[in-house]
Amino acid sequence: MSGCKSRNPRVNILEHNAESIKFELRETHLSVANALRRVMLSEVPTLAIDLVEIHYNNTVLNDEFITHRLGLIPIVSTKVDKFRAWYEEDEEDDIDEQTGLPIDPLTEVEFTLDVLGRESEDNDGEETTVVTSNDIVLDSLHPDVAPINYKVENVKPIVIVKLRPGQAISLKATVRKGIGKDHAKWNPCATAVFRVPPAIRVNQQMLSGLSDAQRQQLVDSCPSRCFRVNPDTKEVEVQNADRYTYDDEIVRKAELLGVGGAILVREKPEHFVFTVETTGSLPPHQIVLGALGTLKKKLNVLSRDTARVLGEQNFREGGGDGFPMEYA
Amino acid sequence: MNAQERYEKFVLPDDAHKVTVVKDEKVENAVAITVEREDHTIGNLIRHELHRDREYVQFAGYKVEHPLEHKVKFQVKSSMDRDPVECFKDALERLSDEMSNIEQAIKKKVGVD
């Protein structure tokens, strides 16, 4: 083995709720942070409606328009591990803990949607019947695969189409597993970004020669308003560093006021602040864990195949006819 | 009409290997490693991990040669006392460990399993 060891990055969770997570990742390289971000966006598997069979549709929206709208409805994907996409191979570790038998992976789940536009007298006096995600009928065998906020009281469901009296929609929708690289409907993130926080140093001694008005000018020059003049001490101080946009305006203003270098800004090394928001298909921390799992799996597949290449090479060497080794 | 199928970006064809290695004809202990159906996510990650191995790795670079050909090509040159493909594998293993470490840290902080 080489002398270099794998890193052990530090993680600190700053905010965490049902919709989003904000955390710090420290003591690692930018390439790791960026790989994590990219995988969260495009390679964490989720569920989405992928195939729609329309039986009847005389609404104002055409078949493919409705199909597209259905595809974009986030589906609760906490059970996505039990699914297998068509391109995936069966894994050996899918064994039932109690019976010891292999678990048959799911490939698809079917929803149905049948709504008829009611006359206004049967519809609380309303001319239009609104078809929403709550009108979808779930697969009775898989009640935990459902559109987000399915039949949750006081939460507005997702509108699919609106009907006039006499218009109707009837269809069968197939839910499948997929990744954001295939189609954005499988992307679990509404946001997945990271930024590098700034380390700001204010040299009070250099600023001591400035008048109060000049200090105010200096503070006002920052468009992201990250500084303020302390009302008591009249010192320039950092107010909210995490809003700083690296615009350098205040650094240049300091130069104009003849105190160049009084305010120094640099990026904190090896420090990344992630913000991840979910579409609702997966809890936010599951997106992050799912991304790490996907990355790890990717790297393991690569190292296994690299081992295969090395093995073939050794085999040739074993043939030993004195020629320099060649790779496959 | 001539568009590729979307799955071509990530589904490995039956007749392809994930990793293929070609030895450099002019430079000693240098190889070109092609990884099928991967992109910059893995490319940049592995390149930087190879750079960390100062003891053995003398050169590491990667490129995605064409946007419609979904593969990454690495070029690695190592010192004479270690095979460049071994260095590549070491980098992969270190990264895999690092991912496990982050995973553990997050699980601990979030409080799942």
Side-chain angles (χ1 to χ4, degrees):
Chain A
M1 260 321 242
S2 68
C4 137
K5 280 194 197 137
S6 52
R7 281 177 287 225
N8 191 3
R10 281 199 290 155
V11 174
N12 189 16
I13 302 202
L14 304 172
E15 281 166 41
H16 185 198
N17 56 47
E19 281 104 41
S20 69
I21 187 168
K22 195 172 170 189
F23 64 97
E24 286 180 318
L25 186 66
R26 306 176 76 160
E27 291 167 29
T28 188
H29 192 265
L30 176 70
S31 61
V32 174
N34 198 41
L36 179 59
R37 183 191 64 85
R38 284 176 62 107
V39 172
M40 286 195 285
L41 284 169
S42 64
E43 292 180 75
V44 176
T46 58
L47 301 175
I49 292 174
D50 193 31
L51 186 72
V52 180
E53 195 177 291
I54 305 227
H55 301 302
Y56 188 80
N57 173 23
N58 67 346
T59 67
V60 292
L61 301 185
N62 61 44
D63 295 0
E64 25 296 80
F65 200 114
I66 290 174
T67 306
H68 181 238
R69 287 181 69 77
L70 286 167
L72 295 176
I73 296 171
I75 308 290
V76 175
S77 308
T78 41
K79 293 278 157 61
V80 71
D81 292 346
K82 298 212 168 109
F83 283 75
R84 206 54 83 233
W86 65 268
Y87 50 82
E88 287 179 300
E89 286 164 32
D90 288 342
E91 279 169 39
E92 285 158 26
D93 55 329
D94 288 337
I95 288 171
D96 193 302
E97 281 174 22
Q98 277 149 15
T99 61
L101 295 169
I103 301 170
D104 246 357
L106 285 163
T107 53
E108 48 192 46
V109 160
E110 260 163 24
F111 290 167
T112 52
L113 179 69
D114 296 278
V115 185
L116 172 67
R118 285 157 294 185
E119 296 293 335
S120 56
E121 48 267 32
D122 313 325
N123 196 23
D124 306 326
E126 286 288 328
E127 273 279 306
T128 46
T129 306
V130 183
V131 183
T132 69
S133 56
N134 279 351
D135 294 309
I136 291 173
V137 179
L138 306 184
D139 193 322
S140 53
L141 291 173
H142 306 284
D144 38 12
V145 176
I148 57 160
N149 296 326
Y150 185 67
K151 293 184 177 167
V152 176
E153 263 181 73
N154 300 321
V155 179
K156 277 190 183 167
I158 298 161
V159 178
I160 299 163
V161 62
K162 291 181 179 177
L163 307 177
R164 273 175 56 77
Q167 291 182 336
I169 177 92
S170 168
L171 57 86
K172 193 171 86 181
T174 309
V175 175
R176 290 188 184 139
K177 181 185 178 182
I179 57 173
K181 227 180 195 183
D182 189 350
H183 191 289
K185 67 187 173 187
W186 280 298
N187 174 1
C189 306
T191 309
V193 292
F194 69 81
R195 47 175 280 139
V196 182
I200 305 172
R201 282 235 308 272
V202 182
N203 188 328
Q204 299 298 348
Q205 215 173 353
M206 287 175 82
L207 292 177
S208 60
L210 297 183
S211 68
D212 286 359
Q214 281 175 317
R215 285 174 200 208
Q216 195 55 48
Q217 271 180 32
L218 186 65
V219 163
D220 291 341
S221 70
C222 177
S224 37
R225 315 235 116 255
C226 300
F227 299 85
R228 66 166 195 161
V229 178
N230 187 305
D232 303 324
T233 62
K234 303 291 178 200
E235 277 183 344
V236 173
E237 55 184 29
V238 182
Q239 199 170 16
N240 28 26
D242 50 337
R243 258 170 47 192
Y244 191 70
T245 54
Y246 294 96
D247 46 60
D248 256 12
E249 290 293 332
I250 194 162
V251 177
R252 267 178 273 168
K253 186 71 182 176
E255 277 167 27
L256 285 177
L257 292 170
V259 285
I263 291 174
L264 289 175
V265 184
R266 61 179 177 90
E267 293 185 336
K268 280 190 185 167
E270 302 197 325
H271 192 154
F272 310 96
V273 178
F274 277 81
T275 309
V276 181
E277 282 174 32
T278 172
T279 58
S281 54
L282 284 173
H285 69 275
Q286 284 298 339
I287 298 177
V288 185
L289 292 174
L292 289 163
T294 307
L295 258 176
K296 204 163 75 179
K297 211 155 107 191
K298 244 179 205 301
L299 292 161
N300 291 343
V301 166
L302 284 192
S303 83
R304 228 177 300 141
D305 213 47
T306 312
R308 175 191 61 80
V309 173
L310 283 165
E312 284 173 8
Q313 171 213 320
N314 288 341
F315 177 76
R316 286 196 187 183
E317 269 187 310
D321 47 12
F323 281 98
M325 60 185 181
E326 262 184 289
Y327 293 106
Chain B
M1 195 171 69
N2 292 317
Q4 266 177 347
E5 294 291 338
R6 287 192 318 244
Y7 67 79
E8 300 253 353
K9 281 183 273 194
F10 53 90
V11 181
L12 188 69
D14 284 339
D15 57 348
H17 282 304
K18 193 80 183 166
V19 179
T20 43
V21 180
V22 177
K23 200 172 188 295
D24 196 294
E25 284 169 16
K26 291 177 183 156
V27 186
E28 242 187 318
N29 236 25
V31 289
I33 303 172
T34 308
V35 180
E36 276 288 340
R37 310 293 135 159
E38 290 296 346
D39 58 16
H40 295 279
T41 307
I42 283 285
N44 196 36
L45 183 69
I46 296 173
R47 178 174 68 108
H48 275 106
E49 190 60 30
L50 284 163
H51 286 168
R52 245 164 48 85
D53 187 352
R54 282 156 191 267
E55 198 180 341
Y56 297 117
V57 176
Q58 293 179 341
F59 177 87
Y62 90 98
K63 60 180 165 184
V64 175
E65 288 177 309
H66 189 101
L68 293 175
E69 284 174 16
H70 308 288
K71 52 189 170 192
V72 202
K73 186 179 177 186
F74 293 90
Q75 290 202 292
V76 186
K77 174 172 169 23
S78 65
S79 61
M80 292 312 287
D81 35 348
R82 190 145 182 94
D83 188 298
V85 185
E86 294 273 6
C87 290
F88 185 76
K89 189 161 174 287
D90 290 344
L92 292 171
E93 282 163 8
R94 285 199 305 273
L95 281 172
S96 179
D97 286 347
E98 182 173 348
M99 295 307 150
S100 301
N101 290 343
I102 303 176
E103 206 175 0
Q104 290 301 318
I106 291 183
K107 278 186 177 167
K108 208 172 119 194
K109 295 275 168 124
V110 176
V112 286
D113 350 291

